[in-house]
Amino acid sequence: MKVVLKDLTKKFPNRNKKIRDEVIAVSNFNIEIPDGKLIGLLGPSGCGKSTALNLLCGLQKPTSGQIFFGEDDVTNLPAENRGVGMVFQNYALYPHLTVQQNIIFPLENLKGAQKLTKEQMAAKAYEAAKLVQIEELMDRKPNELSGGQQQRVAIARALVKMPRLLLMDEPLSNLDARLRLQTREEIRRIQRETKITTIFVTHDQEEAMSISDLIVVMKEGVIHQVGKPQEVYDNPVNLFVAKFLGTPPINVFAGEVKDGKLFIGKEAVLSVKGVADKKVYVGIRPEGFVLDENGALSCMLDEVEVMGRDITVVSRHEALDGVEIRSIISADNKVEAKDGIVKFSLKPHKVHLFDQETEERIYFES
Ligand code: ADP
Ligand code: MG
């Protein structure tokens, strides 16, 4: 099912009573979420991700704007009639119920024509449990399960009614690193198998990039960019998005454009046609540096970290006040420094310019 948000806004009175201004948790969202895809809703803590999910599932009412499921306006539809499955960070299982009873729970209060027999409920619970591969654990209580297994039960419970929309709010945050990787692959598989439109909330950019068909990058209640993970990584619309995606993060220098050339310090490092003279921020992805003894960008070498396939060259430059530069180079290269200076040339498509005031992207021809 396609989901459309139209001018969707949620304001809260400020929790700090001394501050009169409201908090705009979700600000004027306009977005169309395509049918059958996995959408990663990504942003730092407090940016409004959970509020957006709560509006979608009906736990909270928007201050203004509309929500459409397919062609239907569901803005005022009660939560229980929306056909939405929800998975939370803390699993929220009933401790005194078995796995099977937990999964069946959402089916028990179906009324009228939807009412199911005990056998039908058990069959549906088994199907959902099988999907997340916990059908062997049906008789256990939550405290007899690992964190990863508990989260699978929560996913099965969300799937048992075959929701039109599945919402997951930081579902992997309580798992250890290895389980987090494994469970995210599982979620991807389950989403592909069921084709249920799924919105997956996380503050972890790598997690969002690795499993999403589309990512929505937000900050302070505002959507900054929507696109395929690789497109957003390659073409960030502003400095915030550029900095939020990528590990190690993009290196941001203070620079200046003069006569179609980009200067970092006194060195002209790149031709940037079509940009008016001005001060800019220069974002360079770690993979955008090329070791080159004739390269235009000179940095002070700190150290070289060898990591098997790649090496990380750690260096400094006065245009990055105190912050270290991390550049990733294939391990085939040998790092040679003269008088402690390492020289780089740059891959133009890995270099992004941003206005120093608005932090919006400035486009150039190289
Ligand atoms: P996220 O899930 O991205 O961490 P939230 O949606 O929980 O962010 O919160 C967004 C903003 O709205 C935060 O500033 C938070 O303090 C505020 N907020 C969330 N819920 C409430 C509430 N019930 N009352 C007042 N402020 C709230
Ligand atoms: Mg949250």
Side-chain angles (χ1 to χ4, degrees), residues 12-13 15 23 25 44-51:
F12 292 111
R15 279 178 177 152
V23 176
S45 177
C47 74
K49 304 181 296 296
S50 295
T51 305

Side-chain angles (χ1 to χ4, degrees), residues 266-289:
K266 291 193 178 63
E267 295 169 323
V269 296
L270 204 65
S271 153
V272 289
K273 278 186 230 147
V275 182
D277 290 5
K278 68 169 101 179
K279 295 207 156 139
V280 292
Y281 289 125
V282 187
I284 308 176
R285 291 283 181 205
E287 67 276 21
F289 296 84

Side-chain angles (χ1 to χ4, degrees), residues 10 12-15 23-26 43-52 54 60 169-170 201 218 221:
K10 178 68 179 178
F12 292 111
N14 207 301
R15 279 178 177 152
V23 176
I24 307 178
V26 168
S45 177
C47 74
K49 304 181 296 296
S50 295
T51 305
N54 290 339
Q60 288 176 336
D169 195 351
E170 314 233 12
V201 160
M218 58 182 291

Side-chain angles (χ1 to χ4, degrees), residues 184-195:
R184 85 183 187 205
E185 294 309 319
E186 284 283 289
I187 289 173
R188 178 77 263 202
R189 175 186 63 76
I190 293 161
Q191 197 279 327
R192 285 229 169 93
E193 276 180 41
T194 60
K195 299 194 175 64

Side-chain angles (χ1 to χ4, degrees), residues 4 77 79 103 130 132 145 152 156 169 216-217 224-225 233 242 248-249 257 260 274 312:
V4 178
L77 195 65
I103 300 174
K130 211 160 168 228
V132 297
L145 302 175
R152 283 166 194 247
D169 195 351
V216 176
V217 187
H224 281 246
Q225 192 164 2
Y233 179 84
V257 175
T312 301

